[in-house]
Amino acid sequence: MFSDFYPHLVQGLAVAAALWFLPASCCHGADEPLFPNADFESGSLEGWTLTGDAFQFQPTKGDNPQVRGRESSAHEGEHWVGGFEKHTNSEGQPGGAFTDDAVGELISPEFTIRKPYLNFLIGGGNHPGQTGVKLQCDAQELDLATGGDSETMSPSSHDVSKLLGKKARLVVYDNVRGGWGHVNVDSFRASDKPLPGSMGEFALVPGIPASPGDDRRYDQPLRPQFHFTAGKNWLNDPNGMVFDGEKYHLFFQHNPLAPVWGNMTWGHATSPDMVHWTQHDHALLPYRVDRQAGTIFSGTAVVDHNNSLGVQQGEQKTLCAFFTFAVRPKFYQAMAYSTDDGATWKYWNEGRPVVPNQGFDDGERDPKVFWHEPSGRWVMVLWVKQNPGKVRFFTSKNLADWEHASDFDRDWAFECMDLAFLPVDGDKNNMKAVIYDASFDYEVGTFDGREFHSESGPHRAGGGNFYAAQSFNDMPDDRVVQIGWMRGGPNSAEKYGLPFNQQMSFPYELSLRRIGGDLKLFAQPIAEISSLVDDALVMQDVTIRDGENLLASQEPFDLVDAEIEFAPGTAERLSFQLSGASLEYDASTHRLLQQGVDEQGNAVEVVVFDDLKPRDGRVKLRFLIDRLTVESFAFDGERFFAAYYSPRSGDRSPVIRAEGGDVNVRKLEIRRLHSAWVDQ
Ligand code: FRU
């Protein structure tokens, strides 16, 4: 299962579902409870018969899963049956959880079928025939529905017109122990009509707000100040990165409800310079269609310059977002478009597949779409299988119909594939294609519009907490700039009481250089960082004597972009304490080490670079230090690494100290930066 590999996916496959309920008043006469306490609003199981122990703590009350940081239950009224919940009028706590290991049944009183539709809400495990609701009538058992592996309940409607006048019972059953071994139900009603959203038409999942809230603040002492964070709650991969001619769009994997992974939605921010970001309403929200509810996983966005899709309104170019619809049982690729510059979005063909599941992996995902000028086609790069990895290329003329063009089979390939074009050593007559995945394994070669032809690699770039990077589409001046998710680090909501969790890397500009007869990717912070520079401490050709601190007379630094070129000479170590971060170059092992922090908040020693030997006697390093992270670059970005640190409290006096011998600093420049949130 794909989720075994990625812990953030394991936090819950939020395959959420939708509910649109008509107000009770509108339905008088047309819609009535199936039998007394069919909506559990008595707060008890009065009238129902219980077997086994799965339902012993029912009904639950309120949106108990959401209190735990999970997806909303989307229940009606106050009480409902939530098989995993343990919070009743007399038992448990708000948010309290029971177990998936209990089994049993909940049997309704006998009732007469008086209306043509039997409607209810259902959620919980997706185990057809093992968890769900069945109808017993006329000595027959009709299986009605199972859940969608989501706590969110969805509308479920059944045409029972052929059974009118007959006596029947409902059985809510849970025969599964373990993963998603529970069922949620609410509001069994008799009606003249099916519930909206129950017969397959498109509906957004309820309970997921489109607004990021207008009470966002960016001035908390430990909020990153020049790295993008969601105003509130969880963020992971960058999505849909595109320059629209005026500004940069950054969409991102987001849980609008909690600081943990779940309810995947595309958050949205824009920037004039990739440094100063403003967050907007969420762009793409979980939905249901064809009786299946799912969430919005990663993907890309393009500006439809030639109106290929044919939906353009006036002069405003259409933005098209390609994403993975994470739905059970098989993910597929879908598209949404915006004709108003990203303010509102429509789901193409109601969010149905533009590229159906290819049949290799239920979790295929993360379409990268771009315009390929030489072939005059749109291209999609899609990861479709792991171990061994398979990536599939598709082409399209109109962005809606996609043809399979070729396969790229590589052991290394896994999720969040990207393809970008770069000149070799700046020579625009020698362009190469670079294909890479979430871990930044990459190959360099050429792309003919249908197929990738490899010339170099695989190599690996980046390291540490840098993951799932993507490059901007439609960059001016053919620049290739990417942003990655800084995956991991402690949950900053839990550990530091911040309203968000996780951050993006700073944007890096990529270049391709020939070194040692091979083609390698280099990454450097984008030049636009200069807009944040207040002033700089500059030193040249100074010798730090053994035991001496070069910065002894300096005030503490806060946000910095620091570059140093030094000759380690006879020294054993050169140690750095800048802002809250501590690093050390070990001249005997040629390693750069950092004091880092793991996901549990434990201090760990991180090897940033090994085999970092001086060249012509010198080592060249650059550090971007924000409130929670350090990004390190060696030899002009030939190597780079991103890592979290545990902010130091107490004495933050800066240190660059030589130990075991003297170090000659050829050049030091510590640029003090101000916050990128100043204008918020
Ligand atoms: C990478 C990833 C993607 C997926 C997304 C879900 O971090 O696993 O493959 O689309 O996260 O949030």
Side-chain angles (χ1 to χ4, degrees), residues 150-177:
S150 171
E151 303 302 358
T152 307
M153 290 183 283
S154 315
S156 187
S157 295
H158 305 273
D159 183 347
V160 287
S161 51
K162 294 208 176 76
L163 304 176
L164 282 171
K166 301 210 180 220
K167 300 234 183 277
R169 278 181 206 277
L170 287 169
V171 181
V172 181
Y173 62 100
D174 169 5
N175 298 328
V176 173
R177 296 183 202 272

PDB file of all heavy atoms in Angstrom, residues 150-177:
ATOM      1  N   SER A 150     -13.697   6.999   5.653  1.00  0.00           N
ATOM      2  CA  SER A 150     -13.669   8.378   6.116  1.00  0.00           C
ATOM      3  C   SER A 150     -14.644   8.500   7.279  1.00  0.00           C
ATOM      4  O   SER A 150     -15.688   7.850   7.289  1.00  0.00           O
ATOM      5  CB  SER A 150     -14.112   9.308   4.993  1.00  0.00           C
ATOM      6  OG  SER A 150     -14.284  10.608   5.512  1.00  0.00           O
ATOM      7  N   GLU A 151     -14.287   9.350   8.240  1.00  0.00           N
ATOM      8  CA  GLU A 151     -15.249   9.609   9.320  1.00  0.00           C
ATOM      9  C   GLU A 151     -16.413  10.450   8.807  1.00  0.00           C
ATOM     10  O   GLU A 151     -17.481  10.463   9.403  1.00  0.00           O
ATOM     11  CB  GLU A 151     -14.568  10.323  10.491  1.00  0.00           C
ATOM     12  CG  GLU A 151     -13.367   9.614  11.091  1.00  0.00           C
ATOM     13  CD  GLU A 151     -13.667   8.212  11.602  1.00  0.00           C
ATOM     14  OE1 GLU A 151     -14.824   7.764  11.536  1.00  0.00           O
ATOM     15  OE2 GLU A 151     -12.711   7.555  12.050  1.00  0.00           O
ATOM     16  N   THR A 152     -16.187  11.169   7.734  1.00  0.00           N
ATOM     17  CA  THR A 152     -17.257  12.012   7.196  1.00  0.00           C
ATOM     18  C   THR A 152     -18.357  11.141   6.606  1.00  0.00           C
ATOM     19  O   THR A 152     -18.089  10.269   5.788  1.00  0.00           O
ATOM     20  CB  THR A 152     -16.728  12.933   6.091  1.00  0.00           C
ATOM     21  OG1 THR A 152     -15.608  13.635   6.594  1.00  0.00           O
ATOM     22  CG2 THR A 152     -17.790  13.924   5.645  1.00  0.00           C
ATOM     23  N   MET A 153     -19.585  11.399   7.021  1.00  0.00           N
ATOM     24  CA  MET A 153     -20.699  10.616   6.474  1.00  0.00           C
ATOM     25  C   MET A 153     -21.196  11.241   5.179  1.00  0.00           C
ATOM     26  O   MET A 153     -21.179  12.460   5.001  1.00  0.00           O
ATOM     27  CB  MET A 153     -21.817  10.533   7.503  1.00  0.00           C
ATOM     28  CG  MET A 153     -21.422   9.645   8.675  1.00  0.00           C
ATOM     29  SD  MET A 153     -22.740   9.457   9.870  1.00  0.00           S
ATOM     30  CE  MET A 153     -22.647  11.000  10.718  1.00  0.00           C
ATOM     31  N   SER A 154     -21.629  10.372   4.275  1.00  0.00           N
ATOM     32  CA  SER A 154     -22.125  10.792   2.964  1.00  0.00           C
ATOM     33  C   SER A 154     -23.590  10.424   2.861  1.00  0.00           C
ATOM     34  O   SER A 154     -24.033   9.450   3.462  1.00  0.00           O
ATOM     35  CB  SER A 154     -21.436  10.036   1.850  1.00  0.00           C
ATOM     36  OG  SER A 154     -20.089   9.973   2.078  1.00  0.00           O
ATOM     37  N   PRO A 155     -24.325  11.159   2.010  1.00  0.00           N
ATOM     38  CA  PRO A 155     -25.723  10.799   1.808  1.00  0.00           C
ATOM     39  C   PRO A 155     -25.841   9.491   1.026  1.00  0.00           C
ATOM     40  O   PRO A 155     -25.070   9.237   0.105  1.00  0.00           O
ATOM     41  CB  PRO A 155     -26.266  11.970   0.986  1.00  0.00           C
ATOM     42  CG  PRO A 155     -25.081  12.624   0.382  1.00  0.00           C
ATOM     43  CD  PRO A 155     -23.913  12.343   1.254  1.00  0.00           C
ATOM     44  N   SER A 156     -26.795   8.672   1.427  1.00  0.00           N
ATOM     45  CA  SER A 156     -27.006   7.388   0.770  1.00  0.00           C
ATOM     46  C   SER A 156     -28.513   7.251   0.588  1.00  0.00           C
ATOM     47  O   SER A 156     -29.275   7.392   1.548  1.00  0.00           O
ATOM     48  CB  SER A 156     -26.437   6.303   1.692  1.00  0.00           C
ATOM     49  OG  SER A 156     -26.460   5.060   1.083  1.00  0.00           O
ATOM     50  N   SER A 157     -28.972   7.026  -0.637  1.00  0.00           N
ATOM     51  CA  SER A 157     -30.418   6.945  -0.925  1.00  0.00           C
ATOM     52  C   SER A 157     -30.707   5.677  -1.692  1.00  0.00           C
ATOM     53  O   SER A 157     -29.932   5.291  -2.568  1.00  0.00           O
ATOM     54  CB  SER A 157     -30.847   8.143  -1.783  1.00  0.00           C
ATOM     55  OG  SER A 157     -30.692   9.321  -1.038  1.00  0.00           O
ATOM     56  N   HIS A 158     -31.834   5.056  -1.383  1.00  0.00           N
ATOM     57  CA  HIS A 158     -32.161   3.761  -1.996  1.00  0.00           C
ATOM     58  C   HIS A 158     -33.615   3.745  -2.429  1.00  0.00           C
ATOM     59  O   HIS A 158     -34.502   4.111  -1.642  1.00  0.00           O
ATOM     60  CB  HIS A 158     -31.856   2.641  -0.997  1.00  0.00           C
ATOM     61  CG  HIS A 158     -30.436   2.731  -0.542  1.00  0.00           C
ATOM     62  ND1 HIS A 158     -29.405   2.135  -1.205  1.00  0.00           N
ATOM     63  CD2 HIS A 158     -29.868   3.473   0.452  1.00  0.00           C
ATOM     64  CE1 HIS A 158     -28.262   2.473  -0.624  1.00  0.00           C
ATOM     65  NE2 HIS A 158     -28.520   3.291   0.396  1.00  0.00           N
ATOM     66  N   ASP A 159     -33.833   3.339  -3.652  1.00  0.00           N
ATOM     67  CA  ASP A 159     -35.182   3.253  -4.202  1.00  0.00           C
ATOM     68  C   ASP A 159     -35.837   1.974  -3.663  1.00  0.00           C
ATOM     69  O   ASP A 159     -35.439   0.861  -4.032  1.00  0.00           O
ATOM     70  CB  ASP A 159     -35.067   3.218  -5.735  1.00  0.00           C
ATOM     71  CG  ASP A 159     -36.427   3.202  -6.393  1.00  0.00           C
ATOM     72  OD1 ASP A 159     -37.427   2.961  -5.678  1.00  0.00           O
ATOM     73  OD2 ASP A 159     -36.483   3.412  -7.614  1.00  0.00           O
ATOM     74  N   VAL A 160     -36.812   2.146  -2.766  1.00  0.00           N
ATOM     75  CA  VAL A 160     -37.489   0.979  -2.174  1.00  0.00           C
ATOM     76  C   VAL A 160     -38.949   0.958  -2.619  1.00  0.00           C
ATOM     77  O   VAL A 160     -39.808   0.383  -1.931  1.00  0.00           O
ATOM     78  CB  VAL A 160     -37.365   0.987  -0.625  1.00  0.00           C
ATOM     79  CG1 VAL A 160     -35.955   0.622  -0.201  1.00  0.00           C
ATOM     80  CG2 VAL A 160     -37.758   2.345  -0.036  1.00  0.00           C
ATOM     81  N   SER A 161     -39.226   1.597  -3.763  1.00  0.00           N
ATOM     82  CA  SER A 161     -40.625   1.726  -4.200  1.00  0.00           C
ATOM     83  C   SER A 161     -41.276   0.359  -4.436  1.00  0.00           C
ATOM     84  O   SER A 161     -42.477   0.198  -4.254  1.00  0.00           O
ATOM     85  CB  SER A 161     -40.733   2.607  -5.446  1.00  0.00           C
ATOM     86  OG  SER A 161     -39.836   2.154  -6.422  1.00  0.00           O
ATOM     87  N   LYS A 162     -40.469  -0.629  -4.801  1.00  0.00           N
ATOM     88  CA  LYS A 162     -41.047  -1.971  -5.039  1.00  0.00           C
ATOM     89  C   LYS A 162     -41.434  -2.664  -3.738  1.00  0.00           C
ATOM     90  O   LYS A 162     -42.102  -3.696  -3.765  1.00  0.00           O
ATOM     91  CB  LYS A 162     -40.032  -2.837  -5.789  1.00  0.00           C
ATOM     92  CG  LYS A 162     -39.741  -2.355  -7.199  1.00  0.00           C
ATOM     93  CD  LYS A 162     -39.328  -3.524  -8.091  1.00  0.00           C
ATOM     94  CE  LYS A 162     -39.141  -3.071  -9.519  1.00  0.00           C
ATOM     95  NZ  LYS A 162     -37.878  -2.333  -9.703  1.00  0.00           N
ATOM     96  N   LEU A 163     -40.968  -2.094  -2.613  1.00  0.00           N
ATOM     97  CA  LEU A 163     -41.251  -2.744  -1.322  1.00  0.00           C
ATOM     98  C   LEU A 163     -42.303  -1.980  -0.523  1.00  0.00           C
ATOM     99  O   LEU A 163     -42.516  -2.271   0.665  1.00  0.00           O
ATOM    100  CB  LEU A 163     -39.953  -2.830  -0.501  1.00  0.00           C
ATOM    101  CG  LEU A 163     -38.765  -3.533  -1.174  1.00  0.00           C
ATOM    102  CD1 LEU A 163     -37.524  -3.464  -0.288  1.00  0.00           C
ATOM    103  CD2 LEU A 163     -39.103  -5.003  -1.449  1.00  0.00           C
ATOM    104  N   LEU A 164     -42.973  -1.017  -1.157  1.00  0.00           N
ATOM    105  CA  LEU A 164     -43.936  -0.179  -0.433  1.00  0.00           C
ATOM    106  C   LEU A 164     -44.981  -1.041   0.280  1.00  0.00           C
ATOM    107  O   LEU A 164     -45.483  -2.015  -0.285  1.00  0.00           O
ATOM    108  CB  LEU A 164     -44.632   0.786  -1.398  1.00  0.00           C
ATOM    109  CG  LEU A 164     -43.820   2.023  -1.807  1.00  0.00           C
ATOM    110  CD1 LEU A 164     -44.504   2.789  -2.928  1.00  0.00           C
ATOM    111  CD2 LEU A 164     -43.576   2.918  -0.600  1.00  0.00           C
ATOM    112  N   GLY A 165     -45.265  -0.670   1.520  1.00  0.00           N
ATOM    113  CA  GLY A 165     -46.273  -1.397   2.296  1.00  0.00           C
ATOM    114  C   GLY A 165     -45.711  -2.582   3.051  1.00  0.00           C
ATOM    115  O   GLY A 165     -46.376  -3.156   3.909  1.00  0.00           O
ATOM    116  N   LYS A 166     -44.464  -2.946   2.776  1.00  0.00           N
ATOM    117  CA  LYS A 166     -43.889  -4.136   3.440  1.00  0.00           C
ATOM    118  C   LYS A 166     -43.233  -3.763   4.761  1.00  0.00           C
ATOM    119  O   LYS A 166     -42.832  -2.626   4.978  1.00  0.00           O
ATOM    120  CB  LYS A 166     -42.845  -4.781   2.528  1.00  0.00           C
ATOM    121  CG  LYS A 166     -43.424  -5.203   1.209  1.00  0.00           C
ATOM    122  CD  LYS A 166     -42.709  -6.387   0.653  1.00  0.00           C
ATOM    123  CE  LYS A 166     -43.384  -6.705  -0.664  1.00  0.00           C
ATOM    124  NZ  LYS A 166     -43.602  -7.998  -1.015  1.00  0.00           N
ATOM    125  N   LYS A 167     -43.121  -4.794   5.586  1.00  0.00           N
ATOM    126  CA  LYS A 167     -42.437  -4.603   6.872  1.00  0.00           C
ATOM    127  C   LYS A 167     -40.945  -4.901   6.686  1.00  0.00           C
ATOM    128  O   LYS A 167     -40.582  -5.792   5.911  1.00  0.00           O
ATOM    129  CB  LYS A 167     -42.992  -5.558   7.908  1.00  0.00           C
ATOM    130  CG  LYS A 167     -44.465  -5.373   8.158  1.00  0.00           C
ATOM    131  CD  LYS A 167     -44.695  -5.158   9.634  1.00  0.00           C
ATOM    132  CE  LYS A 167     -46.157  -5.022   9.986  1.00  0.00           C
ATOM    133  NZ  LYS A 167     -46.672  -3.657   9.770  1.00  0.00           N
ATOM    134  N   ALA A 168     -40.112  -4.141   7.392  1.00  0.00           N
ATOM    135  CA  ALA A 168     -38.660  -4.306   7.204  1.00  0.00           C
ATOM    136  C   ALA A 168     -37.910  -3.940   8.477  1.00  0.00           C
ATOM    137  O   ALA A 168     -38.484  -3.359   9.404  1.00  0.00           O
ATOM    138  CB  ALA A 168     -38.201  -3.416   6.052  1.00  0.00           C
ATOM    139  N   ARG A 169     -36.644  -4.312   8.504  1.00  0.00           N
ATOM    140  CA  ARG A 169     -35.728  -3.875   9.570  1.00  0.00           C
ATOM    141  C   ARG A 169     -34.410  -3.466   8.933  1.00  0.00           C
ATOM    142  O   ARG A 169     -34.044  -3.990   7.873  1.00  0.00           O
ATOM    143  CB  ARG A 169     -35.383  -5.038  10.517  1.00  0.00           C
ATOM    144  CG  ARG A 169     -36.375  -5.313  11.566  1.00  0.00           C
ATOM    145  CD  ARG A 169     -35.872  -6.488  12.425  1.00  0.00           C
ATOM    146  NE  ARG A 169     -36.993  -7.183  13.033  1.00  0.00           N
ATOM    147  CZ  ARG A 169     -37.588  -6.791  14.144  1.00  0.00           C
ATOM    148  NH1 ARG A 169     -37.158  -5.715  14.784  1.00  0.00           N
ATOM    149  NH2 ARG A 169     -38.599  -7.466  14.630  1.00  0.00           N
ATOM    150  N   LEU A 170     -33.719  -2.578   9.601  1.00  0.00           N
ATOM    151  CA  LEU A 170     -32.371  -2.221   9.157  1.00  0.00           C
ATOM    152  C   LEU A 170     -31.358  -2.874  10.084  1.00  0.00           C
ATOM    153  O   LEU A 170     -31.605  -2.980  11.297  1.00  0.00           O
ATOM    154  CB  LEU A 170     -32.163  -0.708   9.257  1.00  0.00           C
ATOM    155  CG  LEU A 170     -32.880   0.138   8.227  1.00  0.00           C
ATOM    156  CD1 LEU A 170     -32.794   1.599   8.628  1.00  0.00           C
ATOM    157  CD2 LEU A 170     -32.247  -0.074   6.852  1.00  0.00           C
ATOM    158  N   VAL A 171     -30.224  -3.280   9.524  1.00  0.00           N
ATOM    159  CA  VAL A 171     -29.134  -3.780  10.363  1.00  0.00           C
ATOM    160  C   VAL A 171     -27.873  -2.964  10.039  1.00  0.00           C
ATOM    161  O   VAL A 171     -27.436  -2.907   8.891  1.00  0.00           O
ATOM    162  CB  VAL A 171     -28.857  -5.281  10.094  1.00  0.00           C
ATOM    163  CG1 VAL A 171     -27.734  -5.778  11.004  1.00  0.00           C
ATOM    164  CG2 VAL A 171     -30.125  -6.099  10.283  1.00  0.00           C
ATOM    165  N   VAL A 172     -27.363  -2.313  11.062  1.00  0.00           N
ATOM    166  CA  VAL A 172     -26.074  -1.623  10.931  1.00  0.00           C
ATOM    167  C   VAL A 172     -25.044  -2.620  11.447  1.00  0.00           C
ATOM    168  O   VAL A 172     -25.143  -3.065  12.589  1.00  0.00           O
ATOM    169  CB  VAL A 172     -26.052  -0.341  11.795  1.00  0.00           C
ATOM    170  CG1 VAL A 172     -24.725   0.392  11.639  1.00  0.00           C
ATOM    171  CG2 VAL A 172     -27.229   0.561  11.454  1.00  0.00           C
ATOM    172  N   TYR A 173     -24.089  -3.017  10.607  1.00  0.00           N
ATOM    173  CA  TYR A 173     -23.213  -4.119  11.018  1.00  0.00           C
ATOM    174  C   TYR A 173     -21.740  -3.776  10.857  1.00  0.00           C
ATOM    175  O   TYR A 173     -21.342  -3.044   9.963  1.00  0.00           O
ATOM    176  CB  TYR A 173     -23.557  -5.396  10.243  1.00  0.00           C
ATOM    177  CG  TYR A 173     -23.368  -5.277   8.751  1.00  0.00           C
ATOM    178  CD1 TYR A 173     -22.220  -5.785   8.139  1.00  0.00           C
ATOM    179  CD2 TYR A 173     -24.321  -4.658   7.946  1.00  0.00           C
ATOM    180  CE1 TYR A 173     -22.034  -5.669   6.770  1.00  0.00           C
ATOM    181  CE2 TYR A 173     -24.139  -4.534   6.584  1.00  0.00           C
ATOM    182  CZ  TYR A 173     -22.994  -5.038   6.006  1.00  0.00           C
ATOM    183  OH  TYR A 173     -22.805  -4.908   4.657  1.00  0.00           O
ATOM    184  N   ASP A 174     -20.962  -4.341  11.769  1.00  0.00           N
ATOM    185  CA  ASP A 174     -19.508  -4.141  11.764  1.00  0.00           C
ATOM    186  C   ASP A 174     -18.866  -5.482  12.079  1.00  0.00           C
ATOM    187  O   ASP A 174     -18.829  -5.902  13.231  1.00  0.00           O
ATOM    188  CB  ASP A 174     -19.134  -3.077  12.814  1.00  0.00           C
ATOM    189  CG  ASP A 174     -17.632  -3.000  13.053  1.00  0.00           C
ATOM    190  OD1 ASP A 174     -16.868  -3.696  12.338  1.00  0.00           O
ATOM    191  OD2 ASP A 174     -17.218  -2.252  13.967  1.00  0.00           O
ATOM    192  N   ASN A 175     -18.390  -6.166  11.038  1.00  0.00           N
ATOM    193  CA  ASN A 175     -17.757  -7.477  11.233  1.00  0.00           C
ATOM    194  C   ASN A 175     -16.254  -7.425  11.038  1.00  0.00           C
ATOM    195  O   ASN A 175     -15.622  -8.452  10.872  1.00  0.00           O
ATOM    196  CB  ASN A 175     -18.330  -8.490  10.226  1.00  0.00           C
ATOM    197  CG  ASN A 175     -19.821  -8.677  10.439  1.00  0.00           C
ATOM    198  OD1 ASN A 175     -20.291  -8.586  11.570  1.00  0.00           O
ATOM    199  ND2 ASN A 175     -20.560  -8.913   9.362  1.00  0.00           N
ATOM    200  N   VAL A 176     -15.676  -6.224  11.022  1.00  0.00           N
ATOM    201  CA  VAL A 176     -14.238  -6.115  10.725  1.00  0.00           C
ATOM    202  C   VAL A 176     -13.485  -5.618  11.950  1.00  0.00           C
ATOM    203  O   VAL A 176     -13.883  -4.625  12.566  1.00  0.00           O
ATOM    204  CB  VAL A 176     -14.012  -5.136   9.546  1.00  0.00           C
ATOM    205  CG1 VAL A 176     -12.529  -4.865   9.339  1.00  0.00           C
ATOM    206  CG2 VAL A 176     -14.618  -5.699   8.267  1.00  0.00           C
ATOM    207  N   ARG A 177     -12.399  -6.319  12.243  1.00  0.00           N
ATOM    208  CA  ARG A 177     -11.480  -5.821  13.288  1.00  0.00           C
ATOM    209  C   ARG A 177     -10.273  -5.196  12.600  1.00  0.00           C
ATOM    210  O   ARG A 177      -9.863  -5.661  11.545  1.00  0.00           O
ATOM    211  CB  ARG A 177     -10.994  -6.978  14.165  1.00  0.00           C
ATOM    212  CG  ARG A 177     -12.100  -7.637  14.954  1.00  0.00           C
ATOM    213  CD  ARG A 177     -11.508  -8.734  15.848  1.00  0.00           C
ATOM    214  NE  ARG A 177     -12.549  -9.707  16.197  1.00  0.00           N
ATOM    215  CZ  ARG A 177     -13.356  -9.592  17.244  1.00  0.00           C
ATOM    216  NH1 ARG A 177     -13.249  -8.546  18.042  1.00  0.00           N
ATOM    217  NH2 ARG A 177     -14.272 -10.514  17.486  1.00  0.00           N
TER     218      ARG A 177
END
